[in-house]
Amino acid sequence: MGELFRSEEMTLAQLFLQSEAAYCCVSELGELGMVQFRDLNPDVNVFQRKFVNEVRRCEEMDRKLRFVEKEIKKANIPTVDTGENPEVPFPRDMIDLEATFEKLENELKEINTNQEALKKNFLELTELKHILRRTQQFFDEMEDPALMEESSALMEGNEGGRGAPLRLGFVAGVISRERIPTFERMLWRVCRGNVFLRQAEIEDPLEDPATGDQVHKSVFIIFFQGDQLKNRVKKICEGFRASLYPCPETPQERKEMAAGVNTRIDDLQMERSGSTVPSILNRMTTKQTPPTFNKTNKFTSGFQNIVDAYGIGNYREINPAPYTIITFPFLFAVMFGDMGHGVLMTCAALYLVIRESRILSQKTDNEMFNMVFAGRYIILLMGIFSVYTGIIYNDCFSKSLNMFGSGWSVRPMFSPKGANWTFETLNENKVLQLDPAVPGVFNGPYPLGIDPIWNIATNKLTFLNSFKMKMSVILGVIHMMFGVSLSLFNHLYFKKPLNIFLGFIPEIVFMASLFGYLIILVFYKWTAYDAFTSKDAPSLLIAFINMCLFNYGDVTNKPLYRGQMGIQIVLVLIALACVPCMLIVKTMVLRRQHLWKKHLGTQKFGGVRVGNGPTEDEAGIMDHDALSQHSEDGDEFDFGDVAVHQAIHTIEYCLGCISNTASYLRLWALSLAHAQLSEVLWTMVMHLGLSSRSGGGFFGLSIIFAAFAMLTVCILLIMEGLSAFLHALRLHWVEFQNKFYTGQGFKFVPFSFESILEGRFDE
């Protein structure tokens, strides 16, 4: 029975409980936290109350819990506070909890006892190791005649000048460094100077097994004569809590004892597995290809996944991912270039980046969202680059920004010469065609990007077609030549000189002679033909086709510069000469090297060179890696297989240069498609709302803007963005990476509990 106050109206009430139900009722009241108990027996001693045994049991369990908590903190084991308040256990569960706590306490005490014993044993062995090492140094120093005479004279003088030969005893031990001065004075006073003390500091601090503190100690050795002084010295060492250790007198015994101590220390430091046999790590020599591991972080992991989706790189092969970080979002932006759409994409990715910690803590099973979130940094760079290319295109939701004023002094088609355009004339004349050939019209280029006047010109598409097509070819050829250049680093690292001289050099010369020359023609045409003579400029496409066909009798397409025919003939012949280098010469050299390698073992007999095998200098430049793929494991060199393989590679590269260059025209096609879709969406939706003069007003414009925003996100951001992403992916996989990246390795997947718990064990 008890009385209690309840909150709110503060009513005093009595509650009668059965003894069996008291625990559950009080626990429920404790969960509610709305009552206050009054003690009706304030004069009764606490130890005389009925529930004193239960309280003692709870206090004992609390003590055990605090002991476990202290050990957890001592071991630096992180604990997670969920903030949840568990329910009060039932009385029958308290017995199980009590037994569990008892078991945990006993186990921890046993572990602590064993650990303390091991630490104490380790400390004693470590101190003994230092004693043996320092003692040997002391004895070596004592062999110095001058020092021997000094110590003998000191002890003989204190003994009254007796000339009998001294037979000194000694004790060795370890003492705390701060007690050395007092310890030395006490020895001198008690023994009346009849002892000789040598001490040296231990460089590294030692761990106290009882407290875990780091203690600085010193090794000492005390020489004396007689048992009386020996007893005094030991009592002084005991009083200063110095640890004494047995130390043999002969150097050989000390050496053997030191070896045994080091062995025991090594046993204590063994892998903590409880095994008396140490594990053996043997580094094996093998011809098997090791797995590939590329270290990444949260920023680079997405780009590495793009590369790994094509194929895991061979071991130590150059990794395309660092270059993909720049080239991938840039090529995407060339196809997706729009300032407005780029800003929206950047903001969406920036939101995921800023809130990544919270999103990671709230795990979701939505695979689509997880995929987008994993590529948040890729999307962020794609958005930033899209803003940049949008500025170059001067395109923002299909509209141009007139920030610097147009570079055209435009006139109506039938207006007097010199009359400039006004807004009135623009409204009256719906057709505007820009012609750079008209004098006094084009005053110079726009400071940044494309002139905004092209946005209202009827020949806008013709101009953009020419500009973006040439830009795509330039970017594509530069991208491919960069990929071929990266193959040089692979050949240098793997020491394949044959692949350099008969692989890389012919490939780069072939591409530079044809398509590198085409880029030079593009830039030459842009600089040599100004706005007033551009109509008379010859076609680059026809000129390039005639160059490859040696057709120079076409009168419809005049030369771009003087001496063009001679230069182009030389370039085509150089390109054609590269083909047999890759196709025939490399195959024949491989065969020759195989024969050299075959006779390499028989070229010397008794120190005399026989046969026609290679010299040491010739053997040093052979491409053994190229030969090993044919002759490893005893396989014979099959000239037909090598010739067919080399022919396939040569034809694939030469034709690929043409098809890959044409493939980069997708940059031009998707850029125009994105711009046209954006313009159609503006014209068909937003333009109607802005030009409407009905009474709907703001309400109608709000509905139209909502539809425009939804279509912009769904069509231009998601669908067009996904399309540009896939095309940029193809350009990297097929046109760029195949120039230097084999991608036939396998990934290094270490055994990791963290990966297993996070569900990444199947990667």
Side-chain angles (χ1 to χ4, degrees):
M1 183 184 72
E3 293 183 356
L4 52 89
F5 280 109
R6 187 174 62 183
S7 58
E8 296 178 356
E9 297 181 0
M10 304 297 289
T11 302
L12 179 64
Q14 285 184 330
L15 181 64
F16 297 89
L17 301 173
Q18 294 183 357
S19 299
E20 295 79 4
Y23 179 88
C24 295
C25 292
V26 172
S27 65
E28 289 292 336
L29 292 175
E31 293 288 341
L32 292 175
M34 299 177 66
V35 297
Q36 177 182 348
F37 289 92
R38 291 182 58 188
D39 189 1
L40 299 181
N41 303 294
D43 298 330
V44 179
N45 195 312
V46 176
F47 299 100
Q48 297 176 354
R49 306 204 177 199
K50 293 177 59 177
F51 51 83
V52 63
N53 292 329
E54 285 74 10
V55 172
R56 285 175 178 173
R57 290 172 58 191
C58 292
E59 289 179 347
E60 183 67 13
M61 286 191 291
D62 180 62
R63 182 192 63 79
K64 294 175 181 177
L65 277 177
R66 282 187 274 108
F67 171 72
V68 173
E69 182 183 14
K70 182 185 73 173
E71 294 298 320
I72 290 175
K73 292 180 178 179
K74 184 179 178 181
N76 295 324
I77 299 176
T79 56
V80 180
D81 185 7
T82 60
E84 299 179 358
N85 189 15
E87 296 182 356
V88 177
F90 291 103
R92 59 180 179 272
D93 296 332
M94 294 292 291
I95 300 176
D96 297 335
L97 286 175
E98 193 173 12
T100 303
F101 295 161
E102 181 74 19
K103 180 181 178 182
L104 286 175
E105 184 186 32
N106 293 335
E107 290 179 352
L108 285 175
K109 285 183 178 179
E110 183 179 359
I111 291 173
N112 289 342
T113 302
N114 295 335
Q115 185 180 18
E116 186 173 347
L118 288 174
K119 287 184 177 180
K120 184 177 180 181
N121 192 9
F122 181 76
L123 175 65
E124 292 175 352
L125 291 173
T126 305
E127 291 179 345
L128 182 55
K129 179 185 71 173
H130 288 287
I131 286 176
L132 293 173
R133 187 172 73 243
R134 295 293 186 181
T135 302
Q136 184 62 40
Q137 295 177 0
F138 293 153
F139 279 107
D140 293 341
E141 294 173 358
M142 290 296 293
E143 292 179 359
D144 185 3
L147 189 60
M148 286 290 293
E149 292 178 2
E150 178 184 352
S151 60
S152 299
L154 177 64
M155 299 188 70
E156 288 177 0
N158 291 327
E159 290 291 333
R162 289 175 294 177
L166 294 177
R167 187 177 183 277
L168 301 179
F170 66 91
V171 294
V174 175
I175 190 173
S176 297
R177 190 177 299 175
E178 64 270 10
R179 295 179 180 175
I180 285 290
T182 309
F183 178 66
E184 190 174 2
R185 288 196 299 269
M186 183 62 69
L187 281 173
W188 182 265
R189 291 173 182 175
V190 173
C191 299
R192 299 179 181 179
N194 293 320
V195 294
F196 186 69
L197 172 67
R198 296 297 307 276
Q199 61 91 18
E201 297 179 353
I202 299 176
E203 294 83 1
D204 300 326
L206 303 177
E207 181 181 357
D208 189 341
T211 63
D213 298 333
Q214 299 294 323
V215 182
H216 294 273
K217 294 188 176 183
S218 296
V219 174
F220 66 86
I221 183 170
I222 305 173
F223 295 93
F224 51 82
Q225 184 182 20
D227 293 336
Q228 185 177 4
L229 286 179
K230 179 179 180 180
N231 294 332
R232 292 181 183 179
V233 168
K234 286 188 175 181
K235 288 183 179 179
I236 294 174
C237 293
E238 183 180 353
F240 279 86
R241 297 180 182 179
S243 301
L244 299 180
Y245 293 93
C247 183
E249 295 184 0
T250 63
Q252 182 63 27
E253 291 178 348
R254 287 195 294 269
K255 184 177 181 181
E256 294 176 356
M257 189 175 184
V261 169
N262 290 330
T263 302
R264 293 175 63 186
I265 291 177
D266 293 338
D267 293 340
L268 288 178
Q269 291 179 336
M270 199 177 298
E271 297 169 312
R272 305 175 185 176
S273 63
S275 174
T276 58
V277 180
S279 300
I280 299 174
L281 178 63
N282 184 23
R283 185 172 184 176
M284 301 175 62
T285 302
T286 178
K287 293 183 179 180
Q288 295 181 355
T289 303
T292 300
F293 172 71
N294 294 310
K295 189 175 182 180
T296 59
N297 52 38
K298 63 182 180 180
F299 175 75
T300 60
S301 60
F303 297 96
Q304 188 64 57
N305 291 335
I306 289 177
V307 174
D308 292 344
Y310 174 82
I312 306 298
N314 293 352
Y315 181 68
R316 306 299 291 176
E317 184 179 30
I318 194 168
N319 184 17
Y323 316 104
T324 305
I325 295 176
I326 299 299
T327 59
F328 185 87
F330 176 73
L331 293 183
F332 170 88
V334 172
M335 297 178 279
F336 193 78
D338 188 289
M339 281 185 281
H341 300 155
V343 168
L344 294 179
M345 183 176 290
T346 303
C347 293
L350 200 59
Y351 172 81
L352 297 178
V353 171
I354 293 175
R355 299 179 64 89
E356 63 181 9
S357 300
R358 180 174 298 183
I359 296 175
L360 286 174
S361 61
Q362 301 172 353
K363 295 184 178 179
T364 177
D365 296 331
N366 191 330
E367 294 184 2
M368 184 63 68
F369 176 79
N370 291 337
M371 186 184 303
V372 174
F373 179 73
R376 59 193 180 278
Y377 289 99
I378 302 177
I379 300 174
L380 178 63
L381 287 186
M382 290 192 307
I384 294 174
F385 275 82
S386 296
V387 173
Y388 166 73
T389 54
I391 295 174
I392 298 299
Y393 296 157
N394 201 352
D395 198 355
C396 181
F397 297 112
S398 77
K399 300 287 109 178
S400 297
L401 303 180
N402 186 10
M403 296 180 290
F404 303 102
S406 175
W408 293 74
S409 298
V410 291
R411 298 181 290 108
M413 297 178 62
F414 304 104
S415 63
K417 184 176 181 180
N420 293 326
W421 283 98
T422 62
F423 287 105
E424 289 77 11
T425 54
L426 284 175
N427 291 329
E428 294 173 359
N429 297 271
K430 301 300 182 182
V431 178
L432 172 64
Q433 183 171 359
L434 299 180
D435 187 1
V438 178
V441 173
F442 183 67
N443 299 325
Y446 195 65
L448 179 63
I450 295 177
D451 198 305
I453 197 66
W454 285 105
N455 194 53
I456 57 174
T458 57
N459 56 340
K460 168 188 175 182
L461 194 58
T462 304
F463 165 74
L464 291 180
N465 270 335
S466 176
F467 168 72
K468 293 186 177 181
M469 181 175 65
K470 293 181 176 65
M471 176 194 66
S472 301
V473 173
I474 292 172
L475 294 177
V477 174
I478 293 176
H479 198 211
M480 290 189 296
M481 292 185 69
F482 177 63
V484 177
S485 301
L486 290 178
S487 66
L488 174 63
F489 297 96
N490 278 333
H491 303 328
L492 290 174
Y493 179 81
F494 293 111
K495 298 180 180 179
K496 296 183 178 181
L498 183 63
N499 287 354
I500 296 177
F501 294 107
L502 297 178
F504 164 73
I505 294 178
E507 288 176 358
I508 197 71
V509 170
F510 179 87
M511 183 174 290
S513 299
L514 297 179
F515 300 97
Y517 174 71
L518 178 60
I519 293 180
I520 295 175
L521 289 182
V522 172
F523 283 104
Y524 178 80
K525 182 178 177 180
W526 281 345
T527 56
Y529 292 86
D530 55 24
F532 306 106
T533 59
S534 58
K535 276 191 172 184
D536 301 328
S539 172
L540 294 180
L541 179 60
I542 297 176
F544 186 71
I545 295 175
N546 291 336
M547 170 186 170
C548 297
L549 298 178
F550 294 97
N551 180 17
Y552 296 100
D554 189 359
V555 295
T556 61
N557 200 58
K558 64 179 183 179
L560 283 162
Y561 58 91
R562 185 177 303 174
Q564 178 178 349
M565 182 178 70
I567 293 178
Q568 293 184 166
I569 291 176
V570 172
L571 291 176
V572 174
L573 291 178
I574 292 175
L576 293 177
C578 294
V579 176
C581 290
M582 295 183 286
L583 179 61
I584 301 175
V585 178
K586 185 175 181 180
T587 307
M588 299 303 295
V589 173
L590 282 174
R591 181 177 179 274
R592 178 61 176 172
Q593 287 187 351
H594 170 72
L595 296 177
W596 281 355
K597 185 177 181 182
K598 185 176 180 180
H599 299 292
L600 189 62
T602 60
Q603 59 179 315
K604 285 190 178 181
F605 182 77
V608 180
R609 174 179 165 86
V610 295
N612 59 349
T615 63
E616 293 183 358
D617 294 337
E618 292 170 339
I621 63 171
M622 292 199 318
D623 194 345
H624 295 286
D625 290 337
L627 289 172
S628 62
Q629 60 183 335
H630 303 292
S631 58
E632 197 173 284
D633 302 328
D635 295 338
E636 290 297 328
F637 182 82
D638 193 331
F639 180 79
D641 289 347
V642 176
V644 171
H645 177 271
Q646 198 61 34
I648 293 175
H649 173 75
T650 304
I651 295 173
E652 181 184 13
Y653 177 80
C654 295
L655 295 181
C657 288
I658 302 173
S659 62
N660 293 161
T661 304
S663 183
Y664 277 94
L665 293 177
R666 69 185 69 240
L667 299 174
W668 156 51
L670 266 75
S671 176
L672 288 178
H674 184 81
Q676 291 301 308
L677 277 175
S678 180
E679 185 174 353
V680 168
L681 185 61
W682 179 276
T683 304
M684 301 297 292
V685 181
M686 199 64 188
H687 181 71
L688 295 177
L690 293 175
S691 61
S692 176
R693 302 181 183 274
S694 61
F698 179 77
F699 179 74
L701 184 60
S702 300
I703 297 177
I704 292 176
F705 178 77
F708 173 77
M710 183 185 65
L711 292 174
T712 298
V713 172
C714 295
I715 298 177
L716 295 178
L717 288 183
I718 298 179
M719 293 180 60
E720 277 288 306
L722 182 60
S723 175
F725 180 90
L726 294 177
H727 284 282
L729 198 64
R730 181 244 153 78
L731 290 176
H732 279 78
W733 283 355
V734 179
E735 279 71 32
F736 174 61
Q737 291 181 188
N738 70 344
K739 301 295 187 299
F740 67 96
Y741 186 67
T742 306
Q744 295 181 353
F746 59 100
K747 193 173 184 180
F748 175 68
V749 183
F751 175 72
S752 171
F753 289 116
E754 182 181 359
S755 301
I756 295 174
L757 293 176
E758 293 181 359
R760 293 188 284 112
F761 53 88
D762 55 343
E763 292 185 2

